[in-house]
Amino acid sequence: MSTVKTQVSPAQAQVTFIASSIGKKIFMATTGLFLFLFVSGHMVGNLQIFLGQDQLNTYAQALKDLPALIWPVRILMFIFFAVHIWRGIQLYFENKFSRPISYACNATVQAPLSSRTMIFSGAGILLYVVYHLLHFTFITTNPQYAGLHDTVGRHDVYSMVIFGYQNVAISVVYLVAMFSLCYHLSHAIPSFMQTIGLNNEKWEPRLKALGYLIAIVIFFGYSVIPAAVLSNLIVLPEGVH
Amino acid sequence: MNFKLHVWRQKNAAAKGRMEQYEARDINADMSFLEMLDVVNEDLVEKGIDPIHFDHDCREGICGACSLVINGLPHGGMTGTTCEVRMRLFKDGSTIYVEPFRAKAFPVIKDLTVDRTSIDRVMQAGGFVSTHTGAAIDANAILVPKDKAEEAMDAAACIGCGACVAACKNASGMLFVAAKVSQLALLPQGQAERERRVNKMVAMMDIEGFGNCTNYYECEAVCPKDISVKFIAKMNREYMRALVK
């Protein structure tokens, strides 16, 4: 007795690559890879704050003076981000609908919590990115930053960052967001390798460890900045109040 | 031993089911889980209640007919299939939840029995070698390196029970399909239809309404035949290879 009514006979089964479940995985993995590369590059850029005001402001000005580089990257990142989110939400609901009646008793053997909460850690990242852009890029939430200039007349990114993270609430929000990001990455990195087919029994534990390692490096690489500001390791340049 | 059972009862595919409570009394510790249900069913029949329907066949862990999600895990999450699970593994007096394999691709027929023909249709789409073989040829006429033979055998151990689908939080059938794709892709006989096979089987899997894999690896954890998720990585490779071939 068959209760499943399939319209397609097995001999005629056909799904395009992009609509297939594996195609969707690869799509998520590759867009995620570019987002990860951006996050890594952004972190290295940020860490220049430890080299002093002049270095960070020179770097920020140099990026600004390269619109041919910065705009394509911004546009691509926006597309990858939007597509990654849109597909992620779509997959979340598709997967929910794949089990119309849930179990009365649920159990999990080995799936880490990070893997089961990707949609939530992802939502946390999205919310933070929106705030972060309003905070430091569009300078909407704290318009007083726009008037900050260093002695050579460049926009004083260095002081802006310090003012930003001297606010404990902003630093806490930042740390929570970085935790979401790294929690997301800890599953994303080994998952990426599995999805593109580069995994086996020998590599599985190594990739898992690599995922955690990279997530921890990214977390500290970002969090060290508000930590240094709050502990007065990085202070405002003389004459800036 | 005595147990309190919470069992999913559903009159037919169209009916709305619900969890019912039953008592399992004087159960021998060496009984299998299915034998325990047999005892409960005898009691239900005596009382004039419709016995609990469940799938079973060989009862020795080979056929893949038995299913059941016991306390939230397919086959009880123990080594082997439900028919191999012994009652001594449960605490005397404990409460046990017994539910059918749940997935859109596995609709309930009655009680704990589900329709797993979606798995058969995925096999029909490409899980075969369509060569006219004639009489059996000599065992060593086609040479297969030992490591490849072993790996193909590991994949071939899949009995198609569907526990991977039941365990997956997304009800994905990737581990099952990956085992079948990998097994034939590793052997010389499977080469001619290698690309066609992976395309067709993945397409059929998607059409049947299985979920997408998000690498939880719960499938591997409950698989009674210990199929590794490395075969899913292998299938992903096969699928990309088929795209550019």
Side-chain angles (χ1 to χ4, degrees):
Chain A
M1 171 182 157
S2 170
T3 50
V4 180
K5 298 246 170 359
T6 310
Q7 307 295 319
V8 186
S9 83
Q12 262 116 45
Q14 210 165 4
V15 172
T16 58
F17 181 83
I18 201 72
S20 72
S21 52
I22 298 180
K24 287 177 202 158
K25 274 162 66 96
I26 293 170
F27 208 69
M28 284 303 279
T30 41
T31 50
L33 173 71
F34 285 108
L35 296 171
F36 166 69
L37 291 176
F38 174 78
V39 158
S40 308
H42 189 15
M43 180 184 80
V44 174
N46 289 359
L47 286 172
Q48 293 176 70
I49 197 167
F50 290 100
L51 301 176
Q53 184 192 22
D54 185 51
Q55 174 63 37
L56 190 68
N57 290 356
T58 307
Y59 169 70
Q61 190 63 46
L63 285 183
K64 240 184 210 174
D65 293 341
L66 275 173
L69 171 81
I70 215 82
W71 279 102
V73 169
R74 280 178 171 172
I75 291 165
L76 274 179
M77 279 307 133
F78 180 78
I79 294 170
F80 288 145
F81 198 53
V83 166
H84 192 78
I85 293 166
W86 170 239
R87 279 304 221 186
I89 294 171
Q90 227 179 1
L91 284 171
Y92 176 77
F93 285 106
E94 267 183 39
N95 292 338
K96 282 266 168 260
F97 297 145
S98 296
R99 175 164 295 131
I101 303 172
S102 48
Y103 290 113
C105 177
N106 275 294
T108 300
V109 186
Q110 64 178 14
L113 191 62
S114 58
S115 70
R116 291 178 278 135
T117 51
M118 290 298 271
I119 191 86
F120 304 110
S121 54
I125 298 166
L126 170 63
L127 286 177
Y128 182 71
V129 166
V130 171
Y131 170 69
H132 189 60
L133 288 175
L134 292 175
H135 185 211
F136 280 155
T137 309
F138 302 121
I139 318 191
T140 318
T141 55
N142 301 61
Q144 70 274 21
Y145 297 162
L148 290 169
H149 291 94
D150 62 12
T151 47
V152 262
R154 295 171 301 201
H155 177 48
D156 193 1
V157 174
Y158 183 82
S159 303
M160 176 176 82
V161 171
I162 296 173
F163 275 125
Y165 296 125
Q166 275 178 344
N167 183 324
V168 178
I170 291 177
S171 282
V172 169
V173 167
Y174 181 90
L175 289 174
V176 171
M178 288 310 108
F179 183 78
S180 286
L181 170 66
C182 296
Y183 207 51
H184 201 79
L185 283 177
S186 71
H187 177 66
I189 290 161
S191 210
F192 171 83
M193 298 299 281
Q194 167 81 1
T195 296
I196 61 162
L198 299 179
N199 194 12
N200 63 20
E201 290 144 317
K202 200 164 94 183
W203 277 90
E204 200 196 311
R206 293 179 191 173
L207 292 173
K208 210 172 169 182
L210 183 74
Y212 284 120
L213 181 73
I214 294 177
I216 289 168
V217 167
I218 299 269
F219 180 78
F220 282 104
Y222 274 107
S223 304
V224 72
I225 297 169
V229 171
L230 287 176
S231 58
N232 286 326
L233 281 172
I234 301 176
V235 289
L236 286 167
E238 272 179 54
V240 181
H241 305 287
Chain B
M1 297 176 91
N2 298 307
F3 303 97
K4 196 192 248 177
L5 303 179
H6 288 261
V7 184
W8 180 262
R9 300 303 308 263
Q10 184 173 334
K11 221 176 162 72
N12 54 52
K16 206 171 171 321
R18 63 193 183 110
M19 299 298 283
E20 295 268 6
Q21 274 194 47
Y22 300 102
E23 300 282 332
R25 290 184 195 284
D26 302 321
I27 301 296
N28 185 317
D30 295 329
M31 277 182 182
S32 75
F33 200 86
L34 297 183
E35 284 162 347
M36 180 275 292
L37 285 179
D38 291 338
V39 172
V40 173
N41 272 345
E42 274 178 34
D43 189 42
L44 290 181
V45 170
E46 269 175 33
K47 287 179 184 160
I49 303 171
D50 192 25
I52 303 161
H53 287 242
F54 58 88
D55 267 327
H56 65 103
D57 192 7
C58 75
R59 295 207 178 196
E60 51 186 10
I62 302 168
C63 73
C66 61
S67 54
L68 306 189
V69 171
I70 304 163
N71 287 337
L73 294 173
H75 301 300
M78 300 173 203
T79 316
T81 51
T82 294
C83 61
E84 296 173 293
V85 171
R86 300 290 147 183
M87 295 318 293
R88 58 177 173 266
L89 298 168
F90 295 87
K91 221 178 120 207
D92 190 16
S94 62
T95 303
I96 305 171
Y97 284 81
V98 193
E99 296 174 78
F101 278 5
R102 292 232 183 265
K104 192 169 127 195
F106 291 168
V108 172
I109 297 170
K110 189 177 167 74
D111 296 341
L112 304 170
T113 308
V114 297
D115 182 349
R116 284 174 282 180
T117 50
S118 49
I119 273 186
D120 299 337
R121 287 188 293 273
V122 172
M123 285 302 277
Q124 286 163 13
F128 51 81
V129 173
S130 46
T131 329
H132 180 63
T133 50
I137 53 166
D138 284 349
N140 291 322
I142 299 173
L143 296 177
V144 182
K146 173 76 173 160
D147 57 334
K148 294 278 179 219
E150 288 289 347
E151 206 183 343
M153 194 61 212
D154 286 346
C158 170
I159 51 175
C161 67
C164 43
V165 179
C168 178
K169 310 279 178 201
N170 307 333
S172 167
M174 287 283 274
L175 190 66
F176 159 74
V177 182
K180 298 301 175 188
V181 165
S182 302
Q183 176 202 332
L184 295 173
L186 282 160
L187 297 173
Q189 293 89 337
Q191 296 310 306
E193 290 163 300
R194 195 168 160 186
E195 296 82 25
R196 185 182 168 274
R197 177 181 306 112
V198 68
N199 282 332
K200 288 275 179 195
M201 290 185 83
V202 169
M204 201 61 208
M205 169 180 85
D206 291 346
I207 291 165
E208 290 292 344
F210 290 99
N212 304 286
C213 174
T214 49
N215 308 323
Y216 292 129
Y217 302 164
E218 284 295 291
C219 50
E220 177 188 67
V222 301
C223 177
K225 298 297 161 187
D226 296 326
I227 308 287
S228 163
V229 293
K230 76 171 178 185
F231 290 118
I232 297 182
K234 184 168 175 56
M235 176 164 72
N236 294 342
R237 281 204 301 277
E238 285 290 321
Y239 198 67
M240 278 189 271
R241 185 180 169 279
L243 181 73
V244 293
K245 193 109 177 172

